Amino acid sequence: MINLSRRPRRNRKSAGIREMVQETTLRVSDFIYPMFIQEGANQKVEVKSMPGIYRFSLDNLLEELKEVTDLGIVAIDLFPNYPESKKDRIASESYHENTFYLKAITAIKEQFPELVIMTDVAMDPYSSDGHDGLVENGKILNDATLEILGNMSLAQAKAGADILGPSDMMDGRVGYIRKHLDTHGFTDVSIMSYSAKYASAFYGPFRDALQSAPKFGDKNSYQMNPANKREALLEAQLDFEEGADMLMVKPALSYLDIIRLLDENFEIPIAAYNVSGEYAMIKAAALNGWLDGDRAMMEVLLSIRRAGAKCILTYFAKEAAMILNG
Ligand SMILES: NCc1[nH]cc(CCC(=O)O)c1CC(=O)O
Ligand SMILES: [Mg+2]
């Protein structure tokens, strides 16, 4: 026998001990479930590149939400899909009082008053240019976009949103939105800022889901360069100072170091967005029989928590909840 004073395997010798010493845990309430809504009735359309994820009309979404809330999921992030015919340069549909997205928020809140509803603040689903900001001569205008985001935010707050998620990456928008909300009496509406949002290939399936891909160019003049880390600190610092309640890193898996960095530097909750492409990757491999989808899913979610995220926006929310609930 070799004389070893440290045998780490002792802490792995039984299921009980392994559980006892487990450092990071996943809870169903860690998840925010992103969901897609479209206009119409009795619609449930599977997103091709996201098996198991659908675009629902409101009636079917309300049905689905029964299942979602029964699983113990406490929060959703709702994204609208608009037809090309409703889009314009200034995303006017986004703050039109009678638009189906805003009416849906109110209807969901009525039926599920306890459910936390997060909304997306950005122009892209409503923009004929498919960009998150206002386009002029091929350029994305920062300050003119803020005004539109302010209108959109106020409309979503009025509709009943609990948390607004500015995902546009314009400078100064958190402060602008905060002030606009406060001025109109919505001091209780929270902001979860997409603080470090990278220009990523992993948003592909989401843009399929919403038919929201940019009509020209790319998003590199507002979303961050995947090579940069210090810049994430600056973005987070600004959002913190401007009044964000929570900071988000997006995507999650290629940016675990950024999650950790923000968690170590800020005293507000850090969220991570396990994005559409990260979901699609695991689904595709699992459907091919190339890996165990359930195990890969749980491992990935745990890694995001371990890196320091308090909550995780994930399309896996339902499936992971089923496993966690046993
Ligand atoms: N403002 C748009 C927005 N909000 C959330 C996502 C991506 C989410 C995902 O891939 O799951 C995107 C796409 C983009 O920036 O092009
Ligand atoms: Mg910023």
Side-chain angles (χ1 to χ4, degrees), residues 143-160:
D143 299 11
T145 299
L146 299 190
E147 226 172 287
I148 297 169
L149 298 178
N151 292 339
M152 194 184 302
S153 297
L154 185 58
Q156 292 174 358
K158 280 183 183 160

Side-chain angles (χ1 to χ4, degrees), residues 78-213:
L78 195 63
F79 294 93
N81 171 227
Y82 280 93
E84 223 32 63
S85 60
K86 291 268 171 76
K87 301 182 184 182
D88 63 18
R89 247 193 95 231
I90 60 167
S92 46
E93 191 68 20
S94 67
Y95 48 90
H96 188 274
E97 223 169 77
N98 286 317
T99 199
F100 81 88
Y101 179 54
L102 298 176
K103 287 197 296 191
I105 294 164
T106 309
I108 296 167
K109 203 72 211 173
E110 224 161 84
Q111 200 160 323
F112 299 92
E114 302 300 324
L115 181 67
V116 178
I117 304 180
M118 174 165 163
T119 51
D120 196 59
V121 180
M123 289 175 65
D124 55 330
Y126 323 90
S127 154
S128 46
D129 294 305
H131 275 285
D132 294 15
L134 186 65
V135 177
E136 205 173 85
N137 301 323
K139 286 227 158 103
I140 315 298
L141 302 185
N142 193 88
D143 299 11
T145 299
L146 299 190
E147 226 172 287
I148 297 169
L149 298 178
N151 292 339
M152 194 184 302
S153 297
L154 185 58
Q156 292 174 358
K158 280 183 183 160
D162 298 289
I163 304 177
L164 305 186
S167 67
D168 56 289
M169 288 300 278
M170 296 302 120
D171 294 333
R173 95 280 207 205
V174 171
Y176 187 94
I177 292 168
R178 183 72 271 159
K179 194 162 164 229
H180 200 55
L181 291 174
D182 290 353
T183 308
H184 288 86
F186 291 94
T187 50
D188 283 345
V189 172
S190 314
I191 298 178
M192 180 192 286
S193 176
Y194 288 62
S195 298
K197 177 173 179 177
Y198 287 88
S200 172
F202 291 102
Y203 307 150
F206 175 96
R207 293 177 191 171
D208 283 347
L210 299 189
Q211 287 128 353
S212 64

